[in-house]
Amino acid sequence: MNLNPIHRRRLTLILIIIIAVAVATALALYALQQNINLFYSPSQVAAGQVPVNHAFRLGGIVQAGSVKHAPDSLQVVFTVTDNKKSVLVNYTGILPDLFREGQAVVVEGKLTTQGTLQADQVLAKHDEKYMPAAVKAMLKPAVK
């Protein structure tokens, strides 16, 4: 098949654009794969579904009686549970104001070879019943 020069240039340009888009897509997907933080429960961590030394998020409840603060540093050790399995968490830093035993948390970090989560960030979650005071006051029916 013999193409005239105009058609040949158009076809070459289209092929270059398709290759460039494919390369850009592959690079974007590779970058996203390296930065993704998957969410796991303590049961999944205990079952070995989490790779060691790979960033992930752990969600659960801070187990009652498990929070231990180091007296001379900001290091905190606590246990996150889903009422089936538990994971020990090491964290160095300032904990959020809503952090307490029996409260839901999301912890970001990496699993060590000992099965402990070395946390980089701790996010305390409020319960579903939480409502800011201003909104609660607006929703109260007017009482005469």
Side-chain angles (χ1 to χ4, degrees), residues 25-36:
T25 302
L27 289 174
L29 289 175
Y30 179 74
L32 287 173
Q33 182 183 9
Q34 296 300 316
N35 294 323
I36 194 167

Side-chain angles (χ1 to χ4, degrees), residues 62-79:
V62 178
Q63 191 168 1
S66 71
V67 179
K68 295 181 181 38
H69 296 273
D72 56 348
S73 70
L74 293 175
Q75 185 170 4
V76 181
V77 177
F78 59 94
T79 303

